[in-house]
Amino acid sequence: MPRLRRLSIRGRALAAIPLLIVTGCSAPAPPEASTASTASAVALYTLAESNRGTPQDIRHGKPVDIGWHAASGTFLVATYNDGTIYRGRLADPDVPVYMTGTLGQTVAGIAVAGDLLYAAGSISGQIRVYDLATKAQVGRFETGSGGEVLDLAVTGSGDVWVTDGTRPVLWHLTAQQVADGSGTPTALPLTPEVAFTPGPHNLSGIVAVSDRRLVVVHEGDGALYRIDLDPQAPRGRTITRIDGATVRQGEGMALDGHRLVVADFHGLSIVDLTDDAGRATAVTPVRDPAFNRVFSVARVADRYVAVNSSTGDGQPYVLVSVPAAG
């Protein structure tokens, strides 16, 4: 696309100012068709009320992330411009609005754990927490100005880890801070092991392998990193670049057993991880004409559901569902 990707959110900052999107963008590299395989049994889901109005009167904005709430059998989708949340089911191709957002209350990424929805607020620097049943905001945390919080992972113990596209840190919330609904996030430094460059195209997606192990992807060079959390280690962590595979233009990710599913703008890249997440093996990527600038993905029952960030003029945004890899 014109380099609208992660519109600063992972390039998303421009999304809140639609008139600036076309200028200053460069086209992304074409997909690697020689290694692509077309998915079968593709299903599409339409986001209600999306892509209506003029750029000055845009409603909800681009969808950017998706989470799965297993207890209710529903998936949730967030939009960038106003943080509107959609909620849908695999059996229904129409996805209605569940929580209406507020213009300017940006969301770059979401995570669902228990009955809570966690939202990373992009250039606002906020991390917000909502009760899914009541839709009430039950926590807000400030990381300060000058950053771009993008994606979140919630561990089994309830700790929250958040990537930042411009600052060389991961942000950490303890389970107790989440329960209290307040507190100051802690910054975990990532340099020099993870290279950061000026601008937004640094770390993007994150998953929790365990309470003490995370995997992140670098949007700029496609590198995958294992981060082992250890308060006894220098700087509180050990960072290892994962050998064997990279995912260029990697964005949101989902962990499916030992399989890492990465939204890569052109579709889905599939990477198998060893037991210790120390090495990765690329599997044939999933490609289909229905994919259109894919930002994120979730495992939803026996499917992978991907979020298209682009659509035709006046057309609603859609999600693309394909069978989960065997």
Side-chain angles (χ1 to χ4, degrees):
M1 110 178 62
R3 198 159 171 93
L4 203 180
R5 334 183 21 224
R6 284 294 180 209
L7 306 162
S8 178
I9 6 181
R10 314 169 191 175
R12 294 174 190 172
L14 298 183
I17 314 172
L19 293 179
L20 298 182
I21 286 175
V22 175
T23 55
C25 296
S26 59
E32 299 174 359
S34 60
T35 61
S37 63
T38 301
S40 59
V42 172
L44 302 181
Y45 298 84
T46 301
L47 300 183
E49 302 179 12
S50 61
N51 203 29
R52 291 183 178 177
T54 66
Q56 294 86 356
D57 186 35
I58 191 165
R59 185 155 193 186
H60 306 322
K62 291 180 177 293
V64 289
D65 207 358
I66 182 170
W68 168 237
H69 187 236
S72 64
T74 60
F75 55 82
L76 296 109
V77 179
T79 64
Y80 181 76
N81 287 36
D82 65 0
T84 286
I85 302 295
Y86 292 85
R87 192 170 194 173
R89 298 179 181 274
L90 285 179
D92 190 344
D94 297 314
V95 184
V97 169
Y98 181 65
M99 296 165 55
T100 301
T102 302
L103 189 62
Q105 186 173 278
T106 53
V107 170
I110 59 171
V112 179
D115 290 321
L116 297 178
L117 173 74
Y118 302 77
S122 188
I123 56 175
S124 74
Q126 294 179 351
I127 304 165
R128 299 186 295 271
V129 184
Y130 299 88
D131 184 303
L132 275 175
T134 66
K135 308 180 187 180
Q137 181 176 295
V138 294
R140 189 176 78 176
F141 308 87
E142 303 285 349
T143 66
S145 60
E148 188 182 17
V149 288
L150 296 179
D151 201 10
L152 314 94
V154 183
T155 70
S157 61
D159 283 36
V160 183
W161 296 91
V162 187
T163 56
D164 194 311
T166 58
R167 294 174 289 194
V169 300
L170 288 183
W171 296 101
H172 176 217
L173 296 176
T174 67
Q176 187 60 55
Q177 286 176 313
V178 173
D180 293 343
S182 63
T184 302
T186 302
L188 184 78
L190 299 176
T191 53
E193 294 91 339
V194 179
F196 268 70
T197 58
H201 303 299
N202 293 290
L203 289 191
S204 51
I206 183 171
V207 295
V209 178
S210 68
D211 287 350
R212 291 293 179 183
R213 177 168 289 168
L214 310 169
V215 171
V216 295
V217 63
H218 193 291
E219 182 191 357
D221 62 14
L224 298 166
Y225 293 91
R226 185 185 73 191
I227 302 176
D228 290 307
L229 306 167
D230 180 0
Q232 304 305 315
R235 312 186 85 188
R237 82 296 184 273
T238 301
I239 301 176
T240 307
R241 181 161 176 164
I242 299 174
D243 293 330
T246 58
V247 183
R248 189 165 176 262
Q249 297 180 327
E251 302 282 0
M253 305 192 295
L255 187 64
D256 186 11
H258 288 300
R259 179 156 285 184
L260 194 62
V261 186
V262 188
D264 65 7
F265 202 57
H266 306 293
L268 302 176
S269 285
I270 311 294
V271 176
D272 284 341
L273 298 175
T274 53
D275 288 347
D276 65 353
R279 185 167 181 81
T281 302
V283 180
T284 303
V286 180
R287 300 288 188 253
D288 191 90
F291 289 128
N292 194 348
R293 299 166 183 173
V294 180
F295 267 2
S296 56
V297 62
R299 172 75 187 249
V300 176
D302 60 350
R303 314 278 294 180
Y304 296 142
V305 181
V307 176
N308 278 356
S309 68
S310 185
T311 188
D313 289 344
Q315 299 299 310
Y317 288 100
V318 299
L319 313 176
V320 181
S321 164
V322 298

